[in-house]
Amino acid sequence: MTFNIQFVRNTLPGVLAALPITLYLTFVPVLAGAVIGFFLALIRIRRIPVLSQLLSVYLSFFRSIPNLVILFVAYYGLPKLINVLFYGGVRTVTSKSIGSLAPCMLVLILHSSAFICEIVRGALASVDMRQLEAAHAIGMSKASAYLRIIIPQAIIVALPNYFNFVLGAFMGTSVVFLIGVQDIMSVAKIAAEDGYTFVEAYVMVGAIYVIFSTAFSLLFGWIERMAKRRMGIIVS
């Protein structure tokens, strides 16, 4: 068995052209999920009646079911839901008419917010809340104390877990090709079908994931060190 280098040379430009979709499906959900997850964490910490119970169900759902299963449910189920709500159950909207990117993005954002909620909750819980009393004693409002004292410390604690989640989300985007999203995995697989060069295709895609994951790890490490220095934490 020989490794077809020519296939890699011919296919690599097309695969890299699909890289923005992979990055889009990585960073939009984790950034939107960070915002949503922060507010969900506050609800969870404050134990707001009804909302807290509903949030527990939401978190349990997205943390217990594989992402691929939820993707399939959203891809095939969302059109049916729209038809029931707006068209009296008549089959007007289909999976093809909606496309695969919209349900994919919806699922990834909801999935990210569920996991990031727990990351933020754990980070906030790790901060000594007696600092709020000290801040109040010197005349600082509760909101100001949270913004200037509690949240910055929680961010430092949350960064490693958050960045690990981002890396996992980047690698996890490889499943979206199963519902027709044209990411790097999908483009490589389609190209490999002509000459049955699947080994070359998947080695090429794997190398791309390794290169970008390593680059992101270095970037995230630098951001974490800079954040700690801003907080006055000694970094070795």
Side-chain angles (χ1 to χ4, degrees):
M1 179 179 128
T2 59
F3 191 86
N4 192 338
I5 295 293
Q6 190 60 41
F7 167 81
V8 175
R9 291 173 181 170
N10 294 338
T11 309
L12 185 58
V15 172
L16 292 178
L19 184 61
I21 293 294
T22 298
L23 297 178
Y24 176 72
L25 290 173
T26 300
F27 288 101
V28 171
V30 297
L31 292 175
V35 176
I36 298 171
F38 174 77
F39 289 103
L40 294 180
L42 292 181
I43 293 173
R44 194 157 170 78
I45 289 174
R46 298 294 296 273
R47 300 183 181 277
I48 300 175
V50 181
L51 287 179
S52 184
Q53 284 74 23
L54 292 175
L55 178 58
S56 295
V57 174
Y58 169 79
L59 294 176
S60 178
F61 177 80
F62 280 96
R63 296 176 67 199
S64 303
I65 301 178
N67 221 15
L68 181 58
V69 175
I70 303 175
L71 279 173
F72 279 129
V73 170
Y75 180 66
Y76 293 106
L78 189 58
K80 292 185 177 181
L81 179 62
I82 293 174
N83 288 331
V84 169
L85 293 177
F86 300 102
Y87 299 102
V90 179
R91 191 172 183 271
T92 305
V93 178
T94 65
S95 297
K96 289 186 177 180
S97 63
I98 290 181
S100 55
L101 192 59
C104 185
M105 183 60 68
L106 175 64
V107 169
L108 292 178
I109 289 175
L110 294 176
H111 174 266
S112 296
S113 62
F115 278 83
I116 294 173
C117 168
E118 290 300 279
I119 292 174
V120 174
R121 183 192 63 80
L124 287 171
S126 69
V127 178
D128 188 355
M129 290 299 172
R130 289 177 296 181
Q131 296 174 85
L132 288 175
E133 299 175 7
H136 181 70
I138 61 174
M140 189 178 292
S141 67
K142 189 173 184 179
S144 181
Y146 261 99
L147 290 174
R148 299 177 61 182
I149 299 175
I150 303 299
I151 291 179
Q153 293 180 67
I155 289 174
I156 296 298
V157 174
L159 278 179
N161 289 329
Y162 177 71
F163 287 151
N164 284 335
F165 178 80
V166 174
L167 288 175
F170 172 62
M171 291 179 285
T173 58
S174 60
V175 303
V176 301
F177 84 97
L178 292 172
I179 61 171
V181 177
Q182 294 292 304
D183 69 328
I184 59 175
M185 180 68 79
S186 177
V187 172
K189 180 179 180 296
I190 292 171
E193 288 175 349
D194 287 338
Y196 208 73
T197 49
F198 292 103
V199 172
E200 291 84 348
Y202 294 142
V203 167
M204 175 176 56
V205 171
I208 292 173
Y209 277 113
V210 168
I211 291 169
F212 277 86
S213 293
T214 302
F216 290 148
S217 296
L218 294 173
L219 174 63
F220 295 157
W222 178 80
I223 293 174
E224 187 179 343
R225 290 192 297 274
M226 291 300 102
K228 287 181 177 179
R229 288 195 181 108
R230 289 288 298 273
M231 287 289 294
I233 301 173
I234 298 175
V235 180
S236 58

